[in-house]
Amino acid sequence: MASYNAISTEKLVRLIGTPKGPVVIDVRDDEDFAAQPLLLPASFRRPYADVRQWGADYRGRWVVVVCQKGKKLSEGVAAWLRNAGAEAETLEGGFEAWQAADLPLVPVAALPGENANGGTVWVTRSRPKIDRIACPWLIRRFVDPAATFLFVSAPEVEAVADRFGATPFDVENVFWSHRGDDCTFDTMVKEFGLSFPALEHLTLIVRAADTDRLDLVPEAAGLLAASLGLSRMFADDLEQLEAGMTFYDAFYRWARDATQEKHEWVQHVAKKSKDNE
């Protein structure tokens, strides 16, 4: 019987990638993690034995705790978190249930190292348009919610990456960039193992808009136009990124839930006009 304070894999997978989803904390022990160094999308590890020290960090927040089987470790950590003022649940069946459902898992080996304050740090060219907004959105929603992004002049990206321990992306001759016909967003979706159907649909749109192949998919022209407009609205790259987060949230929800939905206003007006004849 599932715990009263548990969430199903079916419900959690619908929440991951959305702005109001829960914090997902992996508390598997070192042995289980070493056997399968993979993480649920947007999740991160914390030591279960130290929950008394870090539990207060999540006061007032919604948390889903994941252990190997959804039993003692996640139950205990969730209980401590609730004592600390969090709204904490466990994942039914834990990591094993997620894996059995053949849902995407992020290989830890693909993740850049965290900075001293936690969270990965990424650096790219200033004045972003498409990839340089889409990729940060992808990272924050599906890989590392605590990620930091630095925007610098193009010639200085790799030097800044070296001096400040950041990971460069969407520039030439680095790992996280275009590959053949693929854009950087493609690269990240593949390397992070994010095989969600909606993301794969969105990836095609981003690739078409970013590589000027608007014939690949009808929505690409709209994404390009909206991205260029967004870049004109903000002089500050970080303000543009924050606005772009909502922008890509909307595209993702359309790709996931509304690709077949049509706007009925024209048909309604036409019918009303005909009825009044």
Side-chain angles (χ1 to χ4, degrees):
M1 181 176 177
S3 166
Y4 175 76
N5 292 303
I7 187 172
S8 67
T9 55
E10 293 81 3
K11 183 175 180 180
L12 182 59
V13 76
R14 296 281 294 176
L15 292 166
I16 285 176
T18 65
K20 295 184 179 180
V23 177
V24 183
I25 302 177
D26 185 311
V27 297
R28 286 177 292 159
D29 63 31
D30 291 343
E31 183 178 353
D32 286 331
F33 182 74
Q36 294 183 299
L38 304 161
L39 290 168
L40 272 65
S43 72
F44 54 92
R45 294 193 75 210
R46 298 215 71 162
Y48 70 88
D50 297 338
V51 65
R52 296 170 183 82
Q53 283 72 53
W54 54 260
D57 295 347
Y58 302 96
R59 181 178 290 113
R61 302 183 70 181
W62 178 20
V63 181
V64 172
V65 184
V66 181
C67 69
Q68 188 69 11
K69 297 181 179 180
K71 295 185 178 180
K72 58 182 178 295
L73 295 187
S74 55
E75 286 275 2
V77 170
W80 273 106
L81 288 172
R82 289 194 291 273
N83 271 285
E87 180 185 344
E89 300 176 286
T90 65
L91 176 63
E92 290 178 7
F95 180 89
E96 290 184 357
W98 185 275
Q99 190 173 44
D102 199 28
L103 293 168
L105 288 162
V106 177
V108 173
L111 297 171
E114 295 183 344
N115 67 6
N117 296 317
T120 53
V121 181
W122 302 76
V123 60
T124 191
R125 297 170 287 142
S126 58
R127 307 310 304 136
K129 300 296 186 298
I130 300 171
D131 247 348
R132 285 166 287 151
I133 295 294
C135 291
W137 170 83
L138 181 77
I139 292 166
R140 282 189 176 167
R141 292 288 186 253
F142 291 91
V143 180
D144 177 13
T148 296
F149 295 92
L150 308 176
F151 295 94
V152 302
S153 60
E156 303 304 324
V157 170
E158 291 189 70
V160 169
D162 180 61
R163 293 298 182 93
F164 292 90
T167 300
F169 72 99
D170 202 44
V171 293
E172 291 184 2
N173 303 316
V174 302
F175 183 81
W176 300 101
S177 195
H178 289 226
R179 299 179 187 175
D181 291 333
D182 288 352
C183 66
T184 307
F185 193 84
D186 280 284
T187 298
M188 290 191 174
V189 168
K190 292 174 181 177
E191 292 290 340
F192 289 130
L194 298 172
S195 54
F196 293 100
L199 271 185
E200 292 171 350
H201 191 165
L202 180 56
T203 298
L204 179 59
I205 300 171
V206 173
R207 182 194 316 149
D210 193 67
T211 61
D212 198 27
R213 289 180 287 164
L214 302 184
D215 58 315
L216 289 180
V217 61
E219 295 80 16
L223 176 61
L224 175 61
S227 298
L228 294 177
L230 197 68
S231 74
R232 298 302 190 274
M233 291 171 62
F234 298 93
D236 185 299
D237 295 337
L238 294 175
E239 288 185 5
Q240 183 186 340
L241 174 57
E242 290 308 310
M245 294 294 292
T246 300
F247 178 76
Y248 278 96
D249 285 337
F251 265 88
Y252 175 68
R253 289 299 299 272
W254 169 82
R256 196 188 76 178
D257 302 329
T259 56
Q260 302 304 311
E261 186 175 326
K262 305 296 182 184
H263 182 46
E264 303 296 337
W265 184 83
V266 174
Q267 292 90 329
H268 172 74
V269 171
K271 182 179 183 301
K272 185 176 181 180
S273 176
K274 186 174 181 180
D275 290 345
N276 290 335
E277 288 178 355

